[in-house]
Amino acid sequence: MLDKEGRRCWTLLYRQNSDNNKERYHMDILPCVAESTYLERFHILNASGFDAQAIDDISIRITDNKCDNYKTSICIREWMKSNPDGYAMWFASRCNITSQNNRALLENVIPVRKYVENKTILQRIVQILKRHRDVMFNGDKEKPISIIITTLAAKAYKGEDNLFIGLNNVIDGMESQIHKNQDGTYVIENPVNSEENFADKWTSHPNRRDNFFRWLGKLKSDKGAFLNCKGSVLRNVFASSFGKKVTNLIFEKRALEHKAEASNSKLKVSSTGIIGAIGTTLNAKNTFFGEK
């Protein structure tokens, strides 16, 4: 079941011989070592909320076979530092730059928690971006990685309480969160660990860098199409961006809502001819009382 050794992870392969692709899956396992006081510090931070000054206290050390001392070092201070729980707390704090409850958000984003249906605006933005990425690359292993998308989106998010406006602004602001060193290397810094650059593999895997900017370009192009297209053209753009199945569900649901609004005289037409919630009633409510 064990796949060949990765740079940082070990991968267990499940049901790879199954004829059904949907039954095949894998699990990535990242070996790590934490300080003896890790759990105590974690519970303190978890109770008090995100603290940028104290977040380093719950960092861990991970293996990396590209390090020169990978096979010899027994001093964990020399190992690569990471902070997954600190990152989750930071992400919750980015969701919470509006008036939402921080404790509920933290429980929502910390890994291995119960499923929460009511997601925040930022979480939904990240879901939409990742769906767009998955459809565009269709299983390509060189696709933009989720941690980069999530980090850039969270940094670009300004607390908008409207999903469409928030998504629009995040798409426009993601690229400005990427920095470039004088030697030409790209930097997407882990917000809770300055030692970690999420774009560090772009140098050795230039396809990943190129694919990211190609995806971002298509994202901006599709956003423009969403704003300017209507009818069947809009539906086709949606299908190419998010898949036909999802698109059909969205448009069918909207058609039913539109029909219900029309039947209940909720649709109005403005002076400019735009149908919406403001203006003159588009049609009277249907009544079928017969001759009487």
Side-chain angles (χ1 to χ4, degrees):
M1 293 174 64
L2 187 63
D3 197 8
K4 64 180 181 180
E5 181 182 0
R7 178 174 175 177
R8 296 165 188 161
C9 290
W10 295 86
T11 301
L12 294 179
L13 305 173
Y14 292 85
R15 299 181 62 85
Q16 298 301 300
N17 295 325
S18 174
D19 294 331
N20 186 349
N21 288 334
K22 293 183 179 180
E23 291 183 351
R24 304 174 193 172
Y25 63 99
H26 69 274
M27 178 181 292
D28 290 330
I29 300 174
L30 177 64
C32 70
V33 177
E35 298 283 358
S36 59
T37 56
Y38 170 83
L39 284 178
E40 178 184 351
R41 293 174 176 177
F42 173 80
H43 289 308
I44 292 173
L45 272 173
N46 196 20
S48 60
F50 179 74
D51 182 347
Q53 301 300 319
I55 207 70
D56 194 56
D57 291 342
I58 57 171
S59 61
I60 59 175
R61 297 286 171 167
I62 62 176
T63 59
D64 185 341
N65 64 15
K66 297 299 182 183
C67 293
D68 294 335
N69 61 357
Y70 172 66
K71 295 183 178 180
T72 59
S73 175
I74 58 174
C75 176
I76 66 170
R77 290 290 180 181
E78 298 176 351
W79 296 11
M80 177 174 285
K81 184 167 72 172
S82 187
N83 198 337
D85 287 328
Y87 183 92
M89 291 181 179
W90 170 80
F91 184 82
S93 73
R94 295 300 302 158
C95 293
N96 191 43
I97 55 180
T98 55
S99 59
Q100 300 169 78
N101 181 273
N102 187 62
R103 177 67 185 179
L105 286 170
L106 188 59
E107 293 180 351
N108 200 342
V109 300
I110 286 287
V112 200
R113 297 278 186 153
K114 64 180 181 180
Y115 174 77
V116 179
E117 184 176 358
N118 296 322
K119 292 180 171 59
T120 66
I121 295 295
L122 178 55
Q123 285 176 299
R124 293 190 181 280
I125 288 173
V126 171
Q127 284 183 310
I128 292 171
L129 296 177
K130 289 165 66 176
R131 174 66 182 178
H132 185 278
R133 182 257 338 248
D134 290 344
V135 171
M136 178 176 174
F137 288 93
N138 192 28
D140 187 346
K141 293 183 178 180
E142 298 292 288
K143 67 184 180 182
I145 60 176
S146 295
I147 191 65
I148 286 180
I149 294 175
T150 303
T151 301
L152 295 178
K155 287 185 175 182
Y157 179 63
K158 304 301 181 185
E160 297 88 349
D161 57 6
N162 177 282
L163 177 59
F164 182 79
I165 295 174
L167 178 62
N168 183 66
N169 293 340
V170 164
I171 292 173
D172 288 340
M174 288 174 68
E175 189 168 359
S176 65
Q177 303 301 324
I178 303 173
H179 306 289
K180 200 173 183 179
N181 289 331
Q182 292 183 344
D183 60 2
T185 58
Y186 287 89
V187 177
I188 301 173
E189 186 177 292
N190 183 335
V192 295
N193 178 17
S194 60
E195 295 180 20
E196 188 171 12
N197 174 19
F198 290 140
D200 61 349
K201 293 183 180 179
W202 283 7
T203 302
S204 57
H205 297 78
N207 281 345
R208 299 184 185 183
R209 176 199 63 211
D210 296 341
N211 283 345
F212 173 82
F213 286 108
R214 187 161 62 89
W215 168 72
L216 189 58
K218 187 176 187 304
L219 193 63
K220 292 179 179 179
S221 175
D222 288 348
K223 184 197 73 168
F226 296 152
L227 293 171
N228 298 307
C229 296
K230 296 180 181 179
S232 60
V233 177
L234 178 61
R235 185 166 185 152
N236 290 336
V237 173
F238 257 90
S240 68
S241 299
F242 302 109
K244 289 184 178 180
K245 185 176 180 180
V246 170
T247 298
N248 289 339
L249 289 172
I250 292 172
F251 277 77
E252 288 169 6
K253 180 180 179 181
R254 184 58 194 138
L256 292 173
E257 291 173 347
H258 187 88
K259 183 177 180 181
E261 289 169 351
S263 298
N264 294 322
S265 301
K266 290 185 178 180
L267 284 184
K268 301 178 184 294
V269 59
S270 69
S271 59
T272 58
I274 297 176
I275 297 176
I278 300 174
T280 306
T281 301
L282 184 62
N283 65 304
K285 184 175 181 180
N286 291 324
T287 55
F288 302 97
F289 301 135
E291 295 180 359
K292 294 182 179 180

